[in-house]
Amino acid sequence: MSLVPTSSYIYTPLNQLKGGTIVNVYGVVKFFKPPYLSKGTDYCSVVTIVDQTNVKLTCLLFSGNYEALPVIYKIGDIVRFHRLKIQVYKMEPQGINTSGFASLTFEGTLGAPVIPRTSNKCYSFTVGDHKMVEALRVWASTHISPSSTLVQLCDVQPMQYFDLTCQLLGKAEVDGTSFLLKVWDGKKTPFPSWRVLIQAHALEGDLNQIHRLQTLTIDILVYDNHVQVAKSLKIGNFLRIYSLHTKLQSVNLATQPSSLSLEFHLHGGTSYGRGIRILPESNSDVEQLKKVLESADLTACHHHSASSQPECEDSFVTLSSSGSVSLYEVERCQQLSATILTDHQYLEKTPLCAILKQKAPQQYRIRAKLRSYKPKRLFQSVKLHCPKCYSLQEVPHEDSLNTILQDASTKIPDTRLHNTLLYDSKTWSTEDQGGRKVAVHFVKNDGILPLSNDCLILIEGGTLGEIFKLSSKFHSVIPVRSGQEDLELLDLSVPFLIQGNVYYYGCKNCSCLRTIQNLNSLANKTSWIPYSVAEALGVVPLEYVFVMTFTLDDGTGVLEAFLMDSDKFFQISASEILNDDDLQRSLGMIMNMLCPPGTKIGRQ
């Protein structure tokens, strides 16, 4: 590759994308799914990128050629997309590939060589591109957290999902829906690794090397759509396996008491970016892995091979002819807790059978397995709760908000209420919607308009889409209407305050609304703390809470438990999760950990 002058491309910042346009963009990878076979004949990859504007763009890319899709290895990689089509999906821009689409990928590590990854033989790369990649690397180093899911085997824990960089030592077919991979990364797991017993002739790889490295090698069972990829791997390949799952299970042996071993599974599907990717030897993570493998402590392996062979057998699991694994049936919750109790340590553990015989209300401490939970669609668990009257209500749907705002937009703003000591006003007329009037009032701080990232605006006649865009540019937005003598809150059916992606609602039963001029009572007109705004406007704010029903079972009885929590139980804010894909994925992973779906080992 040479940095030669060529026809320059114009790159669009992610905060300036418009639906229906074809653009060129640069971005840092924040989430991705390795290419996988779609329901049709094409391969698909999902990539979410972000740039210096802090705006995210999710791209859905299809190609009949696996190699034509972006070659992404980890979060933090930098991509360049040419001729990306922008469409609007759920009121947000989304990128899709179209005719002529091309991509380059670069390692995002500061100081790493700027070498494009692409299957295209011809592409342009100028000095300006080089500067763009370096600028994104510098920005990402302080704004994008390194992937916390990339873990070495010495640091893995039970009930964990993580990404693993490793080398393939052996492989074998187990049955029609599962495949065995034997890999190592030079480190030893903190628990004995399980072993899948198969015939030596069925295992592809250097048996002597596998035996020599047995204490540093793990067995991974790969399922469903990943089997075909696993079959195509070559011994010696360096791999990155995404969303690998560990489970601690008990193994029963006829000659010894049951012992615990650590199982590794790559489940079917593509959720959370699950998949396998071959890494080139030039990759910086592979270069680092090679150094670890070369310096791996093989002394323990030789000692283990010579004197501790029976001990190794404790971690073997035998597969039946059907391919299922013989696991002992004691409840997982009685082997290892998936959660840690932080309160009420003074309470003794009580079996559910005893609790079911008592009258409420009582306090108990239990240890049980989560058999099931409702609702299954986790976003439906988020409700609005009034701390004063204790009412619960659904979070309004976007369609309902849009209808209310559209009805309100038919009313013309009263110019008598414009340009007061509290705010400056501007009015616009729409050209394609019958001359609809939109008034925006910019709230001042001590008579001076603050910068947009500190500014509260009041909007009359705006649609949901317009309010959504304004909320990304200004600190806070309040939908209002013209009253008799002053601006008023529009309606508590819509948010009384919007900050970024968080919509704050008020209780209709408990609130006693005051006019907008009461915002003058706030001393600091740049912080706009939601509860302070609510108090000034006579609003009793509703709290976002998770509301779920848990079915708990400890082997002595079954109990239905009701959970209502805002942020302590899941350590996730209920007010932010509805509009944050990353938080939704985190909640899904937590629930899959607490209540693994299915009962068969390959489906958990």
Side-chain angles (χ1 to χ4, degrees):
M1 177 190 67
S2 60
L3 303 181
V4 298
T6 184
S7 56
S8 60
Y9 287 86
I10 297 175
Y11 294 95
T12 305
L14 298 186
N15 66 342
Q16 296 180 17
L17 300 177
K18 296 181 180 179
T21 60
I22 295 179
V23 298
N24 307 311
V25 297
Y26 264 100
V28 182
V29 176
K30 194 164 185 181
F31 171 79
F32 72 101
K33 290 185 179 182
Y36 60 91
L37 195 60
S38 66
K39 293 182 179 179
T41 58
D42 284 354
Y43 289 94
C44 176
S45 181
V46 180
V47 185
T48 299
I49 61 175
V50 64
D51 67 2
Q52 294 95 328
T53 66
N54 249 340
V55 171
K56 291 191 299 184
L57 174 68
T58 297
C59 303
L60 192 61
L61 309 174
F62 290 90
S63 176
N65 180 9
Y66 179 95
E67 303 296 335
L69 292 170
V71 188
I72 299 170
Y73 295 139
K74 63 181 179 181
I75 292 170
D77 279 354
I78 294 169
V79 294
R80 186 189 81 176
F81 293 157
H82 278 182
R83 294 171 288 278
L84 180 73
K85 184 176 181 180
I86 304 300
Q87 62 183 15
V88 177
Y89 177 71
K90 291 187 176 179
M91 300 183 66
E92 291 190 358
Q94 181 186 71
I96 58 173
N97 55 330
T98 185
S99 177
F101 171 81
S103 70
L104 296 180
T105 310
F106 307 87
E107 189 163 346
T109 307
L110 276 173
V114 181
I115 302 175
R117 305 178 203 143
T118 180
S119 61
N120 294 335
K121 295 182 179 180
C122 298
Y123 57 87
S124 66
F125 190 76
T126 67
V127 174
D129 287 301
H130 193 283
K131 290 180 179 178
M132 186 79 78
V133 172
E134 293 290 8
L136 277 171
R137 282 178 170 179
V138 172
W139 177 82
S141 67
T142 57
H143 291 80
I144 303 294
S145 300
S147 176
S148 60
T149 59
L150 199 55
V151 176
Q152 291 182 304
L153 289 179
C154 59
D155 296 322
V156 298
Q157 294 297 318
M159 300 306 295
Q160 183 179 18
Y161 290 87
F162 67 101
D163 300 342
L164 177 67
T165 306
C166 56
Q167 185 180 33
L168 180 65
L169 295 178
K171 63 178 186 175
E173 186 165 0
V174 177
D175 58 27
T177 60
S178 61
F179 199 84
L180 169 66
L181 299 179
K182 286 182 174 288
V183 304
W184 75 314
D185 73 349
K187 302 293 183 178
K188 188 175 181 180
T189 57
F191 299 90
S193 171
W194 75 327
R195 293 289 181 260
V196 177
L197 287 182
I198 57 173
Q199 298 297 321
H201 64 81
L203 182 63
E204 182 181 343
D206 186 335
L207 297 183
N208 290 330
Q209 183 186 33
I210 292 172
H211 180 72
R212 182 168 56 90
L213 300 175
Q214 60 183 300
T215 60
L216 299 179
T217 305
I218 64 167
D219 285 9
I220 301 174
L221 275 186
V222 173
Y223 300 95
D224 301 337
N225 56 301
H226 305 297
V227 169
Q228 201 58 40
V229 178
K231 287 181 178 179
S232 68
L233 300 176
K234 296 180 179 179
I235 303 301
N237 278 160
F238 292 98
L239 309 176
R240 178 154 293 143
I241 304 176
Y242 302 96
S243 197
L244 191 59
H245 184 201
T246 58
K247 295 195 298 180
L248 198 61
Q249 292 286 2
S250 180
V251 182
N252 285 328
L253 296 172
T255 58
Q256 298 197 20
S258 61
S259 61
L260 294 176
S261 67
L262 197 61
E263 302 176 357
F264 295 83
H265 302 274
L266 182 65
H267 305 303
T270 62
S271 298
Y272 317 112
R274 197 175 294 140
I276 305 173
R277 187 116 207 190
I278 299 174
L279 300 179
E281 297 201 20
S282 59
N283 181 269
S284 64
D285 290 334
V286 171
E287 292 175 350
Q288 181 62 33
L289 175 61
K290 285 181 180 179
K291 294 177 182 177
V292 175
L293 299 183
E294 290 170 0
S295 62
D297 181 14
L298 302 183
T299 306
C301 295
H302 292 306
H303 175 74
H304 184 281
S305 178
S307 60
S308 305
Q309 186 65 26
E311 191 175 306
C312 176
E313 293 174 357
D314 287 353
S315 61
F316 275 63
V317 178
T318 304
L319 285 176
S320 68
S321 58
S322 66
S324 60
V325 180
S326 248
L327 299 174
Y328 100 140
E329 298 299 328
V330 177
E331 303 297 348
R332 175 176 61 85
C333 63
Q334 300 299 331
Q335 300 171 6
L336 187 75
S337 290
T339 58
I340 298 173
L341 189 68
T342 56
D343 292 321
H344 312 301
Q345 300 285 4
Y346 58 89
L347 293 175
E348 294 293 330
K349 187 177 69 173
T350 305
L352 293 183
C353 62
I355 295 174
L356 292 170
K357 296 176 182 178
Q358 303 299 318
K359 293 182 179 181
Q362 300 284 346
Q363 280 190 337
Y364 297 101
R365 179 182 176 187
I366 68 167
R367 190 180 186 189
K369 179 172 183 175
L370 179 60
R371 282 293 188 188
S372 63
Y373 61 89
K374 296 178 182 179
K376 289 296 184 182
R377 302 177 72 180
L378 294 175
F379 69 90
Q380 294 179 342
S381 67
V382 181
K383 310 292 183 185
L384 293 171
H385 171 251
C386 178
K388 190 173 182 179
C389 67
Y390 307 113
S391 62
L392 275 175
Q393 65 183 64
E394 299 290 336
V395 179
H397 192 273
E398 287 181 355
D399 292 342
S400 301
L401 297 180
N402 202 33
T403 300
I404 296 170
L405 291 168
Q406 283 182 343
D407 290 344
S409 69
T410 60
K411 300 176 182 179
I412 300 175
D414 188 344
T415 55
R416 294 184 303 110
L417 305 178
H418 291 192
N419 297 308
T420 68
L421 292 175
L422 177 64
Y423 51 77
D424 287 346
S425 307
K426 297 288 183 182
T427 304
W428 289 268
S429 296
T430 59
E431 296 179 357
D432 57 344
Q433 300 177 33
R436 174 171 57 89
K437 299 286 187 181
V438 181
V440 178
H441 312 280
F442 303 86
V443 177
K444 295 180 284 189
N445 184 29
D446 294 330
I448 301 173
L449 281 177
L451 297 174
S452 60
N453 57 354
D454 290 326
C455 186
L456 166 68
I457 64 170
L458 317 169
I459 182 169
E460 286 186 86
T463 64
L464 183 59
E466 291 164 345
I467 291 174
F468 183 80
K469 289 180 180 179
L470 289 170
S471 67
S472 66
K473 299 181 182 297
F474 292 90
H475 185 284
S476 304
V477 180
I478 297 180
V480 297
R481 64 186 176 193
S482 294
Q484 294 293 328
E485 301 295 336
D486 192 5
L487 293 179
E488 303 171 344
L489 288 175
L490 179 58
D491 185 329
L492 288 183
S493 297
V494 300
F496 72 86
L497 179 68
I498 300 169
Q499 292 182 342
N501 287 331
V502 182
Y503 291 12
Y504 294 93
Y505 292 88
C507 179
K508 294 181 180 180
N509 299 326
C510 303
S511 300
C512 185
L513 300 183
R514 305 188 189 104
T515 62
I516 294 298
Q517 288 298 328
N518 284 275
L519 291 175
N520 271 317
S521 63
L522 298 178
N524 186 347
K525 296 186 179 64
T526 57
S527 59
W528 303 116
I529 300 171
Y531 287 97
S532 298
V533 174
E535 185 178 11
L537 298 178
V539 176
V540 175
L542 297 174
E543 301 173 339
Y544 284 88
V545 292
F546 294 105
V547 177
M548 304 183 74
T549 301
F550 288 171
T551 301
L552 303 173
D553 185 353
D554 69 346
T556 70
V558 178
L559 179 70
E560 294 284 330
F562 179 75
L563 170 73
M564 189 172 75
D565 177 75
S566 60
D567 57 13
K568 290 184 179 179
F569 186 84
F570 295 112
Q571 297 293 301
I572 292 175
S573 172
S575 64
E576 298 178 8
I577 194 168
L578 290 178
N579 295 302
D580 192 312
D581 292 341
D582 293 336
L583 291 180
Q584 290 180 24
R585 282 190 287 268
S586 296
L587 180 59
M589 292 178 70
I590 290 171
M591 293 310 302
N592 282 339
M593 180 184 74
L594 295 176
C595 186
T599 55
K600 292 185 178 180
I601 188 168
R603 302 295 185 266
Q604 287 183 0

